[in-house]
Amino acid sequence: MARKIAIIGLGHVGAAIAHGLVTTGGADELIFIDTNSAKAEAEALDFQDAAANLKYDVHIVVNDWQALNDADIVISTLGQISLQKTGQATGDRFVELQFTKQQVRGVADKIVASGFHGVLVVVTNPVDVITALYQRFTGFPANRVIGSGTLLDTARMQRAVGVALGVNPKSVSGYNLGEHGNSQFTAWSTVRVHGELVGDEADLDLDALEDEARRGGYTVYAGKEFTSYGIASATIHLVEAVLSDSHEVLPVSTYQTDLETYLSYPVVVGRAGVLHKAPLQLTDSEQQKLTESAAYIKQRFDDVYAELADQLVIRR
């Protein structure tokens, strides 16, 4: 069966995801959706120019919302680069919300109108709040609406710990949990290197490593004025887990019934989206951090949802 994926937003991140899927054979058909039609058309043409030198063939359709009808996955990467710059400069990951919150309702309506019945993967920031808005506006079951969450932050932690110990980051296991933002934290009780608990390494500055993982995006941004490859790789990892029905455990943003909000926590991912939670034995301190992060996300969601609801009432 053909693997059909739509990408909404062809900026740096959307284009990097598309490139990864094309060059690895991760999709048979891609749908590019962007308000800048010239940009979307140019990206499609650029891939067509590359086709003769690529190993895999991928069919690309541009700005056809109805093509989402039988898509397996829709990926939201919409955003506004000028606000991303402001957020990186101020350290406020919610600055982009002033733009993205206004876009989600219209995009959600078009996704629903297309008849799409696959898995919606949200990368748009602030990802936990935006994922919750998408779920609310589409009405899709929560298991079918997943945010990229701290999958990237976990990889940054693995890189930081790997560098500190001189090992391959793939040898580091464990999770960053909570918000994809400033209230996230490294659950050190879950982090191991070659099976050994990292917390037992007395010569490691765990607070510094946690901060490095949290601020990794700002560091990349300072050098190139955007981030792309890290989040693209994380997104493709999530997409592959869905398409292959891998039942892999990933720390992504999903609805947590007990905390009444979207946030990142390990879940088992498969063809239907989130299959079930993968429970952790967190320490009391880590559980408190998770609860505080959840409260922060939920408050921001409640505020923006109330604002959007008021706007709808006024328009009517």
Side-chain angles (χ1 to χ4, degrees), residues 168-278:
N168 190 306
K170 293 181 180 179
S171 297
V172 182
S173 62
Y175 305 108
N176 271 37
L177 304 176
E179 177 200 6
H180 174 59
N182 294 334
S183 69
Q184 69 169 267
F185 63 97
T186 300
W188 289 110
S189 67
T190 71
V191 180
R192 286 168 171 76
V193 176
H194 298 153
E196 298 293 328
L197 191 64
V198 167
D200 292 339
E201 295 284 346
D203 58 338
L204 287 182
D205 186 338
L206 299 186
D207 289 340
L209 291 173
E210 180 175 7
D211 189 60
E212 186 174 347
R214 182 185 296 111
R215 297 191 57 79
Y218 298 121
T219 305
V220 172
Y221 189 92
K224 58 186 267 185
E225 295 193 346
F226 60 92
T227 61
S228 55
Y229 303 133
I231 184 56
S233 296
T235 304
I236 292 170
H237 188 175
L238 174 54
V239 166
E240 289 175 341
V242 173
L243 292 177
S244 66
D245 195 27
S246 70
H247 289 217
E248 185 174 358
V249 176
L250 298 175
V252 289
S253 188
T254 58
Y255 187 76
Q256 303 296 314
T257 305
D258 56 333
L259 296 170
E260 299 182 324
T261 190
Y262 268 83
L263 57 66
S264 284
Y265 193 94
V267 293
V268 178
V269 177
R271 187 76 185 186
V274 177
L275 304 181
H276 59 83
K277 195 172 181 177

Side-chain angles (χ1 to χ4, degrees), residues 106-128:
V107 171
D109 287 347
K110 290 179 180 178
I111 292 173
V112 171
S114 75
F116 173 69
H117 53 276
V119 174
L120 175 58
V121 172
V122 182
V123 183
T124 298
N125 278 322
V127 71
D128 302 290

Side-chain angles (χ1 to χ4, degrees), residues 7-20 39 75-78 81 84 123-125 148 226-233 235-236:
I7 301 174
I8 302 176
L10 269 295
H12 295 299
V13 173
I17 292 170
H19 181 265
K39 177 66 159 62
I75 305 170
S76 171
T77 58
L78 63 88
I81 191 64
Q84 292 171 17
V123 183
T124 298
N125 278 322
S148 54
F226 60 92
T227 61
S228 55
Y229 303 133
I231 184 56
S233 296
T235 304
I236 292 170

